[in-house]
């Protein structure tokens, strides 16, 4: 069934006694989702991971944490997982809390289990925030390009953001006079455009200002141009440059990875929208007077999400691995703070002496990614009108 | 159609210009000087540093440097700062090395992804589907160098044949044996490069097939009593292939890429390593030229992509 | 359709897999290939850049250049200089001083040039056999000469008050000068002579009144010009090299003094942008006395100068101005802008060394053949190959398989490889050391007690045992440990956290309630940084941070990319403490690292170490030509620096090279008997010293009765 209108159940017969139980959209989707067992497993694993990660922030920080990720015990280096500590060589506060090295130790004798806990929050957030940013930007831009493709950009549309940005830069650098002037000019142009746009038809534009309304190129071309520019830069190189310039904080890395990986999603969404736009259900919705935004987000996006979900799942693993590569090159979260990425990259030199340094974080990433994949597929089945089996 | 082509072409050229400016700015804004000028090397006095800067035109204003660089690039005169060899010559040499790797890798990826992904979609939820899902995500989650080392160690200890480099060291360079030797050396690095690609591409294939399989017309075909093979491969597959036709265009930029890690591990003198070392040494002419060429390839790639999409899907009105 | 999807990939895979059948196995490559024995294969992580010894700055290029080029001298097994392209040499000095007409000479009074000369000659004649502090230097003087007064003009570029460039003419009416020719270089000469000529004789000489400046505006600079153009005393050390006759370049051309002169001029030519200019800056002139004798005069005392002549000599006939012009024309390039760097010879070098260049495939390998007409006799290996294998693990595997002949073992592999009967291994100390440097411009590092305490809190022996797997040794001072200059009497800092706490308490740092050390309410906190791509330094970072945390110091750490590290932090002095290392040469000149004048931006004394006594010693060392005296000064300097703790000196790493055990040294006696002996490392651990005599046998030899 295409087009949804779940609030209408079967009409009650005269007498009004027989009424099907009313469910909200969310409840209905949720019960459908619940039926998919694998998807539920995915979700549960997910939630567990997040709880552990959040708890770990407390368990591993402070001067004398419960699980100490930074405690160096050189004599216990490279012990395998589940190894018993050599109690004679350790001071009492150095003995691991669980009595054994659950995931082994790294090359400085630090407990890998504690380090994995410390890294959990950071690595999970890197993955999800980066991919989240990428998906949001990608879907948004791709959708606009696909749907509004033919709309023309006018001179004023370009001019006003340029003026605004120029003004802000001016203000930041201390040229308050010029800065303020540019900002006001930019706002003025924007207002003009707004007025004209809102009161279509009839209003006469003052002579000189008509230049602001000259059509340039289409929205589609603009957004494709933007995508192309971003695609031209090998993303790792971009990430490397920016990370080298900005202070090495985990948030900067997340944002940068997100800002450089939205292009794939955008292209997919745009392509799907271009074909969906001509389909009957869209024409029908427009004829019914449904607003543009609603058409885009309520009706078209769910149809276009399939490839985006796949790339999102892959993107999470990718983001965590990029963080590993960055810490391998020395950027990324500064030591001694552990992330799954830097445990992994340290493990490269010890691949034969201590393979668990690669396996443990690798499997952790694998489980997260699998969980998200199952969850995502369940979500897609629920949301995708084409796949739904409604009674 | 023609109007679209014309507009697209102009837009791509403008994009190219922007890319050239942005990449130029990024290089010059990144900290670090070209490694000929290493300030911590006690042999470099202030004077020598100044002279180096002058020779590389680093003391001139940015827009002038931009002009000088692109003029040299377009006339083919630009020279690498590391070893004074012409940049285009260097790139071409490495390109020839990377090309077979790239071709083989792409071939393997595309020919294997479909046979892997399609049955997974057809038999959704089966053991085959779950196994391939698990393997695919395993390949994506565990870093490439791990598999590279495992493979190399396995082949070398079991079969006692060399795997690194472009050819067996010290082999005479003629005849069928030489050709096959080259193919062998290509095999392992291509497999590794393709492994990741197969994992990703087969996921997309599966996802697209799933979408298409649930369409009404497929249900109709099945209801009509058509044999399963015809339903899947004749009707469903053709429509599912649509987005992949457009992905073809995007393979192009891979020509000038190359994984640094795989090339290092296999001692393969390819583009990836050259670009990485150029970045570390801040060899601006090489970096900017590689960037420029890759930008051109990306733009051609997306152009072809869009074109193919328009041709192949009648529903699209641009 | 379905069959296409299945058959195409299957066929492809089958085709690819069958190529395995054709590939020769390792066995066939090594044991089955007799040519393999006469070839030595080396592996390197990076490719060479420029094969020209005066232009290159990376280790891969140096490795090739050391085989293709030859220098005038190098060092032998005991680190003494030995002649290569030079057979022998003399080092002496020419010294000058201006006659000071106003000074009062004891026992003589005021004297003019002739008078002073006569006085000195008389003193030499009568006292040169004597043994007192004045007679010995006199005995060193071979000749006393009077240089007459002369007038000359010097042009200088200056800037006037408005910043405009002005050419200033300086007229110098130089008074007569006395010239000494000394047998040996003597940096104390004038100090001793002032006992004879009067303590004020040299110091009271003022050249200002001999200077005329035009235009008038710059007259105030007469004093400066005077000191610069008319120095009271001047030392000009001289080296005369006698060159080996009948040495050929690889193209047959005979080597002579003109090649030496050309090499020097090429280095100094600003167009060539040679990184070695600074080494040859002190050279005043290179004179050719005859085709086999070169005389090099220096502007001032500078003892590291001699070792610079190990530089590979370039073929003048292929690289001088005429030759370059020819090449430019031949290749269709502009002769005016064509420089040494663009010559083909940077990719296809020609020198006098034991191996001649054959081929270079970029980023793959470089092949050298042995040079049959090498002056010392051709090397035993027929071919030398330099393979580029960027990954250490694959290098290791190629070594095990036998397609690479030597391998630099990593610390955790050393024990295992040393015991392996198929290989022989050599270990030596590296030339250099690793340290933690403290920015002494900042609190709390201004206090030497704090610096010492920080050093005592780290268990360096444990780092050496566990991080370096025992492949390192402790050091206490700034000289390479394996040289004479290192003072072995200085003891390393003990690992004593309690002692450290006591020292810190003395300096005012007491543990607060939260466990951290504090003083006046401020916590002891700083940041330790290092560069990335160096796992050992990163480990040190973590260990130091943890060790200091144990005694209550809050240390943050940061790892930065090399360029950012150097330019944004080190050069701008924006750091608290850092972990870094120095790689050094054998020469004991430490001016750039420890002298107080080198504390400016972009200079190497970035910790701001300033000690007057140390400064004096540093200058004395670089002006001292006598080895024993140099060693004495160095030991003293070592003691001072160790006592001040500007660094926490950590360790010097050991390197281990592993070779196939079948490689031995082959000597042929004059009567034709062939003798094989085991390779032995030199005093500083260099095992490749006799490389030209190496050969690989088909089996592991058994050496009998190795004493």
């Amino acid at each position: 069934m295409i087009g949804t209108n779940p609030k209408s159940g079967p009409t009650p017969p005269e007498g009004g006694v027989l009424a099907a139980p009313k469910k909200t959209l969310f409840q209905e989707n949720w019960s459908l989702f619940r039926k998919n067992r694998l998807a539920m497993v995915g979700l549960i694993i997910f939630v567990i991971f997040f709880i552990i990660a959040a708890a770990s922030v407390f368990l591993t920080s402070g001067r004398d944490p419960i699980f100490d990720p930074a405690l160096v015990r050189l004599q216990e280096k490279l012990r395998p997982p589940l190894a018993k500590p050599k109690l004679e060589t350790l001071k009492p506060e150095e003995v691991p809390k669980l009595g054994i090295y659950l995931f082994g130790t790294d090359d400085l004798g630090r407990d890998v289990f504690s380090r994995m806990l410390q890294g959990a929050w950071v690595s999970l957030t890197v993955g999800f925030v980066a991919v989240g940013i990428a998906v949001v930007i990608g879907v948004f831009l791709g959708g606009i390009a696909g749907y509004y493709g033919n709309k023309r950009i006018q001179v004023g549309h370009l001019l006003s953001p340029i003026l605004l940005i120029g003004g802000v830069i001016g203000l930041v650098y201390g040229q308050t006079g010029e800065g303020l002037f540019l900002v006001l000019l930019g706002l003025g142009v924007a207002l003009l455009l707004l007025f004209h746009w809102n009161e279509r038809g009839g209003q006469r534009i003052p002579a000189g200002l008509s230049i602001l309304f000259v059509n340039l190129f289409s929205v589609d071309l603009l957004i494709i141009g933007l995508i192309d520019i971003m695609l031209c830069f090998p993303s790792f190189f971009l990430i490397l440059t920016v990370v080298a310039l900005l202070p090495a904080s985990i948030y900067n890395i997340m944002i940068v990875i997100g800002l450089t990986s939205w292009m794939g999603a955008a292209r997919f969404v745009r392509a799907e929208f271009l074909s969906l736009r001509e389909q009957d259900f869209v024409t029908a919705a427009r004829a019914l007077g449904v607003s543009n935004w609603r058409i885009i987000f309520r009706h078209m996006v769910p149809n276009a999400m399939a490839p985006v979900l796949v790339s999102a799942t892959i993107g999470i693993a990718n983001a965590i691995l990029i963080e590993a590569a960055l810490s391998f090159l020395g950027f990324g979260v500064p030591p001694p703070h552990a992330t799954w990425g830097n445990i992994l990259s340290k493990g490269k030199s010890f691949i034969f002496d201590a393979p668990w340094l690669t396996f443990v974080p690798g499997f952790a990433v694998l489980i997260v990614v699998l969980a998200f994949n199952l969850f995502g597929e369940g979500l897609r089945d629920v949301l995708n009108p084409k796949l739904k089996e409604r009674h | 159609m023609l109007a679209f082509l014309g507009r697209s072409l102009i837009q791509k050229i403008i994009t190219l210009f922007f890319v050239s400016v942005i990449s130029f700015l990024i290089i010059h804004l990144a900290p670090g000087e070209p490694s000929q000028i290493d300030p911590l090397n006690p042999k470099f006095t202030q004077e020598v540093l100044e002279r180096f800067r002058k020779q590389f035109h680093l003391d001139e204003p940015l827009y002038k440097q931009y002009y000088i660089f692109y003029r040299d690039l377009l006339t083919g005169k630009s020279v690498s700062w590391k070893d004074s060899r012409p940049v285009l010559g260097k790139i071409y040499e490495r390109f020839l090395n990377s090309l077979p790797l790239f071709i083989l890798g792409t071939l393997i990826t595309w020919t294997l992804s479909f046979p892997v992904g399609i049955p997974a979609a057809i038999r959704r939820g089966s053991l085959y589907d779950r196994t391939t899902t698990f393997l695919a995500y395993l390949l994506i989650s565990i870093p490439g160098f791990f598999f590279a080392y495992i493979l190399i160690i396995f082949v070398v200890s079991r079969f006692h044949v060399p795997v690194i480099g472009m050819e067996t060291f010290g082999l005479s360079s003629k005849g069928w044996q030489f050709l096959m030797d080259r193919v062998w050396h290509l095999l392992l690095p291509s497999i590794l490069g393709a492994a990741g690609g197969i994992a990703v591409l087969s996921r997309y294939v599966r996802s697209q097939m799933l979408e298409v399989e649930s369409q009404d017309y497929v249900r109709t075909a099945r209801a009509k009593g058509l044999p399963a093979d015809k339903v899947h491969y004749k009707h469903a597959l053709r429509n599912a292939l649509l987005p992949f036709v457009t992905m073809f265009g995007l393979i192009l930029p891979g020509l000038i890429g190359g994984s640094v890690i795989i090339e290092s591990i296999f001692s393969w003198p390819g583009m990836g390593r050259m670009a990485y070392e150029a970045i570390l040494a801040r060899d601006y002419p090489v970096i900017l030229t590689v960037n420029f060429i890759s930008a051109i390839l990306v733009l051609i790639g997306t152009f072809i992509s869009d074109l193919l999409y328009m041709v192949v899907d009648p529903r699209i009105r641009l | 359709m379905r069959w296409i999807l299945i058959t195409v990939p299957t066929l492809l895979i089958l085709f690819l897999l069958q190529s395995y059948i054709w590939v020769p196995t390792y066995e066939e490559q090594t044991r089955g290939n007799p040519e393999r024995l006469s070839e030595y294969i080396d592996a390197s992580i990076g490719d060479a850049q420029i094969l020209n010894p005066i232009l290159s700055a990376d280790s891969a290029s140096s490795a090739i250049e050391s085989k293709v080029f030859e220098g005038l001298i190098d060092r032998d097994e005991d680190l003494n200089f030995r002649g290569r392209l030079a057979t022998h040499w003399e080092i002496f000095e020419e010294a000058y001083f201006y006659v000071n007409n106003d000074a009062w000479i004891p026992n003589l009074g005021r004297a003019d040039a002739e008078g002073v000369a006569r006085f000195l000659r008389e003193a030499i004649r009568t006292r040169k056999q004597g043994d007192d502090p004045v007679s010995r230097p006199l005995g060193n003087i071979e000749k006393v000469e009077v240089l007459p007064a002369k007038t000359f003009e010097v042009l200088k570029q200056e800037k006037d008050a408005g910043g405009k460039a002005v050419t200033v003419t300086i007229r110098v009416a130089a008074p007569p000068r006395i010239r000494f020719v000394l047998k040996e270089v003597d940096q104390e000469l004038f100090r001793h002579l002032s006992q004879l000529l009067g303590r004020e004789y040299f110091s009271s000489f003022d050249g200002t009144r001999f200077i005329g400046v035009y235009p008038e505006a710059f007259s105030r600079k007469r004093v400066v010009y005077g000191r610069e153009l008319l120095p009271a005393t001047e030392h000009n050390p001289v080296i005369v090299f006698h060159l080996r006759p009948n040495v050929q370049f690889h193209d047959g051309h005979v080597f002579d003094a003109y090649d030496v002169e050309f090499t020097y001029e090429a280095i100094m030519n600003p167009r060539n942008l040679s990184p070695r200019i600074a080494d040859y800056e002190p050279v005043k002139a290179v004179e050719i006395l005859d085709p086999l004798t070169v005389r090099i005069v220096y502007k001032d005392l500078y003892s590291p100068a001699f070792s610079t002549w190990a530089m590979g000599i370039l073929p003048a006939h292929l690289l001088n101005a005429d030759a370059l012009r020819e090449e430019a024309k031949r290749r269709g390039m502009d002769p005016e802008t064509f420089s040494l760097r663009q010559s083909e010879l940077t990719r296809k070098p020609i020198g006098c060394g034991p191996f001649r260049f054959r081929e270079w495939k970029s980023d793959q390998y470089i092949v050298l053949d042995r040079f049959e007409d090498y002056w010392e006799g051709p090397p035993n290996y027929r071919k030398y190959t330099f393979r580029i294998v960027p990954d250490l693990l694959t290098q290791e595997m190629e070594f095990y398989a036998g397609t690479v002949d030597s391998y630099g073992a990593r610390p955790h592999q050393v024990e295992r490889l040393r015991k392996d009967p198929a290989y022989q291994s050599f270990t030596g100390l590296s030339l250099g050391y690793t340290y933690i440097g403290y920015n002494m411009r900042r609190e709390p590092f201004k206090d030497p007690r704090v610096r010492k305490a920080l050093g005592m809190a780290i268990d360096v022996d444990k780092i050496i045992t566990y991080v370096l797997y025992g492949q390192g040794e402790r050091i206490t001072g700034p000289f390479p440990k394996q040289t004479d200059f290192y003072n072995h009497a200085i003891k390393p800092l003990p690992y004593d956290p309690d002692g450290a706490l006591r020292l810190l308490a003395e300096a005012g740092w007491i543990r607060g309630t939260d466990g951290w050390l504090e003083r006046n309410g401020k916590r002891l906190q700083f940041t330790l940084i290092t560069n990335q791509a160096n796992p050992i330094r990163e480990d040190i970072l973590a260990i130091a941070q943890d060790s200091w945390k144990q005694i209550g110091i809050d240390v943050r750490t940061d790892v930065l990319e090399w360029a950012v590290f150097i330019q944004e932090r080190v050069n701008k002095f924006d750091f608290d403490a850092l972990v870094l290392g120095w790689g050094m040469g054998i020469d004991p000149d430490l001016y750039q690292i420890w002298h107080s004048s080198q504390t400016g931006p972009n200079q190497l004394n970035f910790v701001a170490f300033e000690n007057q006594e140390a400064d004096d010693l540093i200058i004395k060392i670089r002006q001292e030509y006598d080895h024993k005296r140099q060693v004495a000064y160095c030991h003293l300097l070592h003691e001072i620096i160790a006592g001040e703790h500007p660094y926490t000196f950590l360790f010097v790493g050991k390197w281990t090279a592993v070779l196939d055990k079948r490689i031995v040294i082959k000597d042929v006696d004059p009567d034709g008997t062939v003798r094989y002996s085991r390779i032995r490392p030199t005093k500083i651990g260099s095992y490749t010293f006799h490389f030209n005599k190496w050969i690989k046998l088909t089996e592991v030899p058994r050496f009998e009765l190795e004493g």
Side-chain angles (χ1 to χ4, degrees), chain C residues 33 100 161 183 204 258 299 305 327 355 388 411 418 431 649:
Chain C
N33 182 1
N100 190 347
K183 293 191 207 124
S204 66
Y258 293 97
K299 297 178 196 158
E327 192 183 336
F355 288 90
I388 291 132
R418 214 181 288 186
L431 274 174
F649 290 94

Side-chain angles (χ1 to χ4, degrees), chain C residues 14-160:
Chain C
L14 282 178
F15 171 72
L16 292 175
L17 286 179
Q18 62 84 37
S19 61
Y20 160 69
I21 308 175
W22 301 90
V23 180
T25 62
Y26 278 125
E27 274 298 305
E28 292 165 17
Q29 273 188 293
T30 52
R31 269 168 220 284
N33 182 1
E35 279 196 15
R36 175 75 183 85
L37 285 181
S38 58
E39 180 184 357
Y40 184 83
I41 306 183
D42 212 352
S44 148
I45 297 184
D47 194 12
Q49 307 298 333
I50 291 186
L51 292 180
N52 185 329
I54 69 170
L55 298 178
S56 69
D58 65 296
S59 57
S61 304
S62 312
I64 303 287
E65 287 156 12
S66 65
K67 302 248 170 329
V68 175
F69 291 94
E70 187 93 72
L72 292 180
I73 52 158
D74 70 1
R75 287 188 196 262
D76 69 8
E77 293 148 305
D78 298 312
L79 292 187
N80 298 323
F81 289 113
R82 70 169 180 171
R84 305 302 286 163
L85 289 181
T87 48
H88 57 287
W89 54 87
E90 289 109 33
I91 307 180
F92 53 94
E93 189 187 339
E94 291 168 2
Y96 303 83
F97 69 90
Y98 281 106
V99 173
N100 190 347
N101 282 336
D102 300 322
W104 185 270
I105 301 175
N107 302 329
L108 189 61
R110 291 207 176 84
D112 66 350
E114 286 300 326
V116 174
R118 232 177 300 131
F119 177 71
L120 288 170
R121 287 194 194 109
E122 189 58 32
I124 293 173
R125 198 178 56 85
T126 50
R127 298 177 68 169
K128 68 177 176 192
Q129 304 297 339
D131 205 25
D132 57 294
V134 180
S135 304
R136 258 181 275 125
L138 284 178
N140 191 21
I141 303 178
E142 246 180 23
K143 197 157 96 162
V144 180
E145 221 183 323
V146 174
L147 297 176
K150 65 173 174 179
T151 316
F152 57 92
E153 267 185 13
V154 174
L155 295 173
K156 248 188 179 293
Q157 295 292 337
E158 297 280 8
K159 285 213 169 74
D160 67 5

Side-chain angles (χ1 to χ4, degrees), chain A residues 299-326:
Chain A
H299 301 279
M300 292 176 77
V301 164
N303 282 299
M305 281 306 277
V308 176
L309 268 177
V310 176
S311 70
T313 319
I314 297 175
I316 293 179
N318 227 24
I320 300 185
L321 288 176
I322 289 183
E323 195 267 310
L326 285 179

Side-chain angles (χ1 to χ4, degrees), chain B residues 32-33 94 149 152 160, chain C residues 18 26 29 363 391 397 567:
Chain B
E33 304 245 18
R94 304 296 208 126
Y149 285 141
I152 294 181
H160 301 293
Chain C
Q18 62 84 37
Y26 278 125
Q29 273 188 293
D363 238 344
D391 188 80
M397 291 198 301
Q567 294 186 312

